[in-house]
Amino acid sequence: MSELNTETGGVPVEALKRHAELSELVEEARWRYYVLDQPTVSDAQFDSWFNELLALEEAHPSLQTPDSPTQKVGAPVSGDFAKVRHLAPMESLDNAFDAADMAAWQARAERLAERDPAPYLVELKIDGLAVALIYRDGKLERGATRGDGRTGDDVTANVRTIKGVPHRLTGDDVPSLVEVRGEVYIPVADFATLNEQLVEQGKPPFANPRNSAAGTLRQKDPRVTAQRPLRMIVHGVGVWEGATPPRTQSEMYERLRELGLPVSDLYRVVGSPAEVDEFIEHYHVHRHDPAYEIDGVVVKVDDFRLQRELGSTSRAPRWAIAYKYPPEEVNTKLRDIQVGVGRTGRVTPFGLMEPVSVAGSTVERATLHNAAIVVKKGVLIGDTVVLRKAGDVIPEIVGPVTALRDGSEREFVMPTHCPECGTELAYEREGDADLRCPNAHGCPGQIRERVYFAAGRKALDIDGLGYVAATALTQPLPPQEPVVRTEADLFDLTLDQLIPIRSVVRDMDSGLPKIDPKTGEEKVVSFFSNLSGEASQNAVKLMESLEQAKQVPLWRVLVALSIRHIGPPTAQHLAAEMRSMDAIMNASEEELAAVKDIGPRTAAVIREWFQVDWHREIVERWRAAGVRMEDEPAPEKGPQILDGLTFVVTGTLEGYTRDTAAEALTSRGGKVAGSVSKKTSFVVVGENAGSKYDKAVSLGVPILDEAGFETLLKDGPEAAAKVAVKPEE
């Protein structure tokens, strides 16, 4: 049984100690985050500490004192600026992390108001720096940081440099006094450029866009602030005097816009919790569409009278809540930087880190692209780094947490020789950013990567030839010899060759051997044989898939050859124009350059590739094995009823793949684009359409479902226009 302390209401000693420890951690994190602009823990770690503190105080109410971090807003103000008192307290927001939290907040608001608090205003939670601006008689008088919620830093001179912040309000009904609140941020697109400039100047880079905005706004010299791309979005009012007050949050936004203040367009007034959930889910999927970083959605009761009725706690309003998305950035230790070799010989540095959970998966490796990027990011081996993983995007090291350096860190030195074959590395062309291994024919790493790529879904689509199988075929354990020495061997494989193969399992991102955590040794597999020493299902499946792959269309064969710059779209144009491998091999640079999307540079690369003997051997060996090297003659063009029109296809259609839908449009004279613009004629939308659908709606581009698409193909654009969805309607 836990020891009790009778002087604190019987709170267990362990709870007292943990509360004190957490309080110190939270206060220190706030000081570094708000005052020093040098965050040393991730948002996820801070939220974890803060929520644990709240749980302790809920279990032991005597721990909740006015000095507790849970009862405070922000952090103490810094000593570098004059202190100013806010006209009204700047509160924080309570957080929700899942649907249950949101439902509990809505139920509590409904209970306190004794009625449904809808409609709600939902908006994006910008990951920026909270600021309050005072306008007196329409003139900007003061700008201040939030500070501790009551007192902030006077940053008026710096605020005046922010693009989009008016020095004088406009319009007919200007309040005599208004204090507006909002978020100052740096657009994502400008953040990387700013960090590169700082590193070039020998200064430490910022950890993230929010940190960069905070550091920029607190520059002592406004001229420095003026040179950086700060922006602001206003989302609240503390004081409003001398003009007709708005009645709702949404009406207030329109009034603020009329006054010339920067207000977001990405908010919505909704009538039910279900619509709130829909907005939250939409921006969870489209989190990176806005120009700025967001970390969630803010939900507010729209009606001001009801807001006043619901009131606030000691630190947060009861009429609003912030729904926080799972973190995409975490902090972890960079243990080492190593390099891997790709299918084109490119040698890429990657970070080896202490394993950390981010965006729903455990990550211990992240790309660093090339040696120049390592320098630009200012990363040292041994640093605590900010790791970012957005959805399915490859994990990326954003930059170092320089405040945690202790002097033991060291610079990364790019190797001079290939890690797989020992060949001296070189730049292919003068001015290239990437070092490459020139031993394309004999480098086992490049061969492994090319075989894996050739089997991929965008190439030959060989089921059973994943990364483990590609490693086994090209790099078996001695004394076995590789059964695939180049791609030329791929279609000559037999079951007898596969059965005895044993190989080390390699990491797909780095190419390094994987280590068994139980034994500490490299993981070894017998991928193509079972316990009885007979052919496994993997081996049988591979042989069947190889046979099927012989009949793929020509463009897939072209992709599988790993010719630089020849991805699926370019290969499709090349195959459609030339129709056979022989025609492509024998074409002049001028003939190749005339093909859509190729041009002189790519044409020269294609000619150079086919002039290499061992490259031509791959083609001839595949041809001899029965791989299809010629497409059917091109069908005669039908009526060009879509000539001059541009289309975008998004989402999943039942009767078409993305490729066949595009072919149906282009065969009728239409052009298929990758993005929506005002020049787009129609957007064809299937299931799970994403941001392209939203862009079409915002631009008023006509939208066709699959039935409308069929009408378009059969009867032309005039008939399709009659059944299209007009966004403005």
Side-chain angles (χ1 to χ4, degrees), residues 495-510:
L495 273 178
D496 289 341
Q497 287 178 303
L498 298 179
I499 291 172
I501 293 176
R502 296 174 72 246
S503 69
V504 172
V505 179
R506 290 179 175 264
D507 177 75
M508 190 166 65
D509 294 326
S510 65

Side-chain angles (χ1 to χ4, degrees), residues 348-485:
T348 305
F350 60 91
L352 279 175
M353 299 158 300
E354 291 181 358
V356 62
S357 179
V358 56
S361 61
T362 299
V363 175
E364 54 185 329
R365 289 179 174 86
T367 181
L368 282 163
H369 303 290
N370 57 52
I373 293 296
V374 178
V375 174
K376 283 184 178 180
K377 289 180 180 290
V379 175
L380 302 178
I381 297 170
D383 267 334
T384 294
V385 294
V386 178
L387 176 73
R388 180 177 181 82
K389 184 177 185 293
D392 294 328
V393 177
I394 296 172
E396 177 190 11
I397 293 172
V398 178
V401 183
T402 55
L404 291 179
R405 284 180 175 165
D406 60 12
S408 64
E409 300 80 13
R410 67 186 193 278
E411 289 186 3
F412 164 70
V413 178
M414 189 72 179
T416 58
H417 291 73
C418 176
E420 298 267 3
C421 69
T423 302
E424 185 173 0
L425 303 178
Y427 294 105
E428 186 172 65
R429 293 182 179 87
E430 186 177 348
D432 279 359
D434 300 316
L435 281 168
R436 296 181 186 273
C437 169
N439 182 24
H441 188 214
C443 177
Q446 292 185 61
I447 297 168
R448 176 188 69 240
E449 300 299 321
R450 291 201 305 267
V451 168
Y452 170 66
F453 177 80
R457 291 185 177 180
K458 294 182 179 180
L460 298 173
D461 196 15
I462 301 173
D463 196 12
L465 186 44
Y467 202 75
V468 174
T471 301
L473 294 174
T474 60
Q475 294 175 290
L477 284 176
Q480 295 163 328
E481 294 290 329
V483 294
V484 174
R485 295 179 182 275

Side-chain angles (χ1 to χ4, degrees), residues 516-533:
D516 189 324
K518 295 181 179 179
T519 65
E521 298 178 351
E522 295 177 347
K523 289 185 178 180
V524 175
V525 291
S526 297
F527 193 70
F528 297 116
S529 62
N530 55 31
L531 294 176
S532 303

